[in-house]
Amino acid sequence: MTSPNNVKKRKTTYHPVLIIGAGATGIAAGSQLRQKLGLKEFKIVDRQSGIGEFREYLNEISDKYQLASHIQLNTDVKELRWVEADAQWEVTLQHLVPGTGDLSTRDREDKATASGRESVYLHEEVVRAKAVISCVGILVEPNPWPSSILGRDTFKGDVFHSARWRDDIDLNGKDVVVLGTGCSAAQIVPSLLKEPYEVNSLTQIGRSAPWVMPRLSEPFGKEKYAKYAPTVYKWLPFLGYVNRVLIYLLVEVIWSTVFQMKHKKWRAAIETQQLAMMKEIVPEKYHDIMTPDYPYGCKRRVFDTEWLPSMQNSKFTLTNRPIQAVDGKELILGADGKATSGQQRINADVIILANGFEATRWLHPLSVYGRDGAALQEVWKQRGGPAAYMGMAVDGFPNFFIAVGPNTANGHHSLILTSENTVSYILKMIKPILSGKVDRVEVKKQAVTAWTKGVKKDLEKTVFVGCRSWYMDEEGYNSTMYP
């Protein structure tokens, strides 16, 4: 019989840097670690079965910077715990049954409950890291059915979220309902009303109207641009750079004028222009439903050229009546709040939820415990909401950095630019740790407090305070936007 003292302890795997998330920001972090710091020992973990969203491009970047060997998929990060004595993070990883990480946390837990935990979770592993970069993103956990709907669990048809698309569900000949009028819904609806789909009917249900902007027109037309632009930009890359700069300058002008509360005339002018455009395209019966009751830019704008024309399709119906209850395959809709009374019943074979994400629950469901066992979520709760210095560091959590964290998103240009700059800044803080010059890097509490105070003060000057949106939590705390 082997003595307990003779049992070999398994050596804990160590990584100088652990990156959580293999999306655009995680790939950016990995590529910059290789390119700028020359680091060859780091790990990128992601719970999903593949990397990123625009996968072809990200796979090219991964190949270019030889990241494949650093990426570990089907791996969920359950917990981070700071070990003060070693100045390291102890990380608990959950290895998942391939494919189950593509589900939302809610659906994954439901599957584990119904079919046993072994149907989702293979085993746990504990590793150590000197520094951790969270690149988990914002739009990760899809919103469920609204809890106010009676009998929602008794629906006889199929329900899925737009971020968890079900290719196995045949939509041909079906009565389809799309819940939401945001960016995702605006992309889905036109697609479902043309080949290869042959839906019987499509009903779109929304709470509020979005401000709709036409996409920036491609030079020489969409088809010619798509055909020739890749070749032209390949041989004349400066033209691509010029194009990006012009778009950037355009949206910055819009930001400095229309998005500021004080510039009411600028905003009124663009609102008048966009409403006129909408009324020229959309059937008159939808004009009231498609007229926003909040300032332009307060909520995420929809950039699209196909959604509004698709409303002329005979199979399409738009309504702002809320779903009150479910009866078999029928949805019971209530009054729309504009003098319309009574209920309405519509048939639904398939419901597609395009109702957004739990965007204000930062790092959810990841548990992070810093110095003295302090839970990051609890620290944020005590301080009124998620906040971090420059959106990336919190006092009491050394060597832990958030790429695209609280108050780093914006409503007018690409978030990729933000993520790249954030990663570059984080690498400046990680460099002295990796070189051994310092043991830990930690922001001071007063710096976090001052930064957060300034952000909140400046947000009051922007259009974001003019309505309730997914940028804010239920208490009206805006932890999303950067002013």
Side-chain angles (χ1 to χ4, degrees):
M1 187 173 183
T2 306
S3 168
N5 294 330
N6 295 329
V7 175
K8 291 185 179 180
K9 292 184 178 181
R10 183 178 180 181
K11 185 178 180 180
T12 302
T13 303
Y14 170 79
H15 305 291
V17 180
L18 179 74
I19 299 170
I20 307 173
T25 306
I27 297 299
S31 61
Q32 289 196 35
L33 280 173
R34 290 292 301 262
Q35 185 181 18
K36 294 184 177 181
L37 300 187
L39 187 66
K40 295 183 179 180
E41 295 182 37
F42 61 90
K43 180 67 69 175
I44 305 174
V45 295
D46 196 296
R47 74 184 191 189
Q48 298 200 40
S49 56
I51 68 172
E53 294 175 0
F54 31 96
R55 295 173 181 171
E56 185 176 342
Y57 169 72
L58 292 181
N59 275 309
E60 289 179 1
I61 297 298
S62 179
D63 291 341
K64 180 178 180 180
Y65 294 104
Q66 301 176 333
L67 300 181
S69 61
H70 298 276
I71 299 174
Q72 182 174 310
L73 302 172
N74 300 303
T75 305
D76 191 32
V77 180
K78 179 181 179 182
E79 178 185 290
L80 300 173
R81 192 172 292 273
W82 175 251
V83 181
E84 182 70 24
D86 300 330
Q88 294 179 357
W89 284 96
E90 188 172 85
V91 186
T92 302
L93 304 176
Q94 291 182 317
H95 294 266
L96 307 175
V97 173
T100 57
D102 297 334
L103 302 173
S104 66
T105 299
R106 186 182 299 104
D107 291 341
R108 199 161 60 250
E109 285 301 314
D110 287 345
K111 180 178 177 62
T113 300
S115 305
R117 295 193 66 79
E118 66 279 359
S119 66
V120 175
Y121 303 101
L122 296 175
H123 61 89
E124 288 190 355
E125 177 187 9
V126 177
V127 302
R128 288 287 189 98
K130 191 64 178 177
V132 175
I133 307 176
S134 171
C135 302
V136 298
I138 302 173
L139 307 182
V140 177
E141 292 296 324
N143 281 326
W145 276 72
S147 57
S148 58
I149 298 176
L150 298 176
R152 60 176 183 164
D153 296 330
T154 64
F155 179 60
K156 301 295 184 181
D158 294 306
V159 182
F160 61 88
H161 196 278
S162 61
R164 301 293 185 272
W165 194 265
R166 294 281 302 278
D167 286 318
D168 60 316
I169 296 177
D170 184 9
L171 300 179
N172 293 335
K174 302 291 181 63
D175 293 321
V176 179
V177 172
V178 175
L179 185 60
T181 51
C183 298
S184 297
Q187 296 176 65
I188 292 169
V189 168
S191 298
L192 294 180
L193 290 172
K194 59 186 179 183
E195 294 182 351
Y197 297 103
E198 290 290 342
V199 300
N200 181 58
S201 69
L202 195 155
T203 302
Q204 186 171 11
I205 302 175
R207 290 183 300 179
S208 61
W211 287 102
V212 182
M213 293 285 291
R215 291 177 184 167
L216 292 174
S217 60
E218 295 87 348
F220 314 111
K222 184 177 181 179
E223 292 184 2
K224 289 184 178 180
Y225 183 82
K227 182 178 180 180
Y228 297 112
T231 302
V232 172
Y233 290 156
K234 179 180 179 180
W235 295 107
L236 300 173
F238 72 93
L239 289 180
Y241 176 78
V242 170
N243 192 23
R244 289 170 59 190
V245 169
L246 290 176
I247 293 173
Y248 176 83
L249 292 176
L250 172 63
V251 296
E252 283 297 302
V253 169
I254 295 174
W255 163 257
S256 61
T257 54
V258 179
F259 276 66
Q260 307 306 309
M261 284 295 287
K262 63 182 180 180
H263 293 301
K264 294 182 180 180
K265 291 184 178 180
W266 287 81
R267 198 159 47 253
I270 200 168
E271 287 176 356
T272 300
Q273 179 185 28
Q274 297 312 308
L275 285 177
M277 180 199 73
M278 179 272 290
K279 291 180 179 179
E280 285 183 4
I281 302 173
V282 172
E284 185 176 356
K285 60 183 176 180
Y286 299 140
H287 285 184
D288 286 345
I289 300 177
M290 285 297 296
T291 299
D293 58 358
Y294 55 87
Y296 176 87
C298 185
K299 296 184 181 181
R300 188 72 175 176
R301 296 166 297 166
V302 172
F303 285 84
D304 198 87
T305 53
E306 297 185 12
W307 181 39
L308 298 185
S310 73
M311 294 184 184
Q312 301 173 10
N313 193 300
S314 60
K315 296 181 179 181
F316 176 84
T317 301
L318 177 67
T319 181
N320 58 359
R321 287 172 171 264
I323 303 175
Q324 291 185 333
V326 174
D327 183 9
K329 279 194 175 183
E330 286 191 328
L331 302 182
I332 302 173
L333 308 183
D336 62 9
K338 293 186 178 180
T340 302
S341 59
Q343 294 181 334
Q344 178 183 356
R345 286 176 173 258
I346 63 171
N347 187 68
D349 297 307
V350 179
I351 298 175
I352 302 174
L353 304 175
N355 59 339
F357 300 80
E358 298 177 350
T360 60
R361 299 182 67 184
W362 290 93
L363 303 185
H364 173 77
L366 175 63
S367 296
V368 184
Y369 300 96
R371 183 174 289 111
D372 300 323
L376 181 56
Q377 297 290 351
E378 187 60 32
V379 170
W380 279 342
K381 183 178 179 181
Q382 293 172 0
R383 297 180 181 181
Y389 177 68
M390 296 187 72
M392 63 184 82
V394 183
D395 55 289
F397 297 83
N399 298 5
F400 177 70
F401 309 100
I402 310 170
V404 191
N407 295 113
T408 57
N410 60 75
H412 66 294
H413 70 63
S414 173
L415 196 61
I416 293 178
L417 178 65
T418 302
S419 67
E420 288 177 339
N421 289 338
T422 301
V423 167
S424 294
Y425 191 90
I426 289 174
L427 260 60
K428 291 180 180 179
M429 293 186 277
I430 286 180
K431 186 176 180 179
I433 301 174
L434 298 179
S435 65
K437 291 183 178 180
V438 299
D439 207 26
R440 65 202 78 192
V441 171
E442 180 181 355
V443 67
K444 295 180 179 179
K445 182 177 180 180
Q446 53 265 41
V448 178
T449 302
W451 172 266
T452 306
K453 184 178 179 181
V455 166
K456 301 309 173 189
K457 181 180 179 181
D458 289 344
L459 276 173
E460 292 297 321
K461 303 174 185 177
T462 69
V463 71
F464 303 130
V465 298
C467 67
R468 291 300 301 272
S469 67
W470 65 261
Y471 303 149
M472 303 179 182
D473 63 18
E474 295 179 355
E475 284 73 39
Y477 183 91
N478 189 336
S479 64
T480 307
M481 304 307 289
Y482 174 70

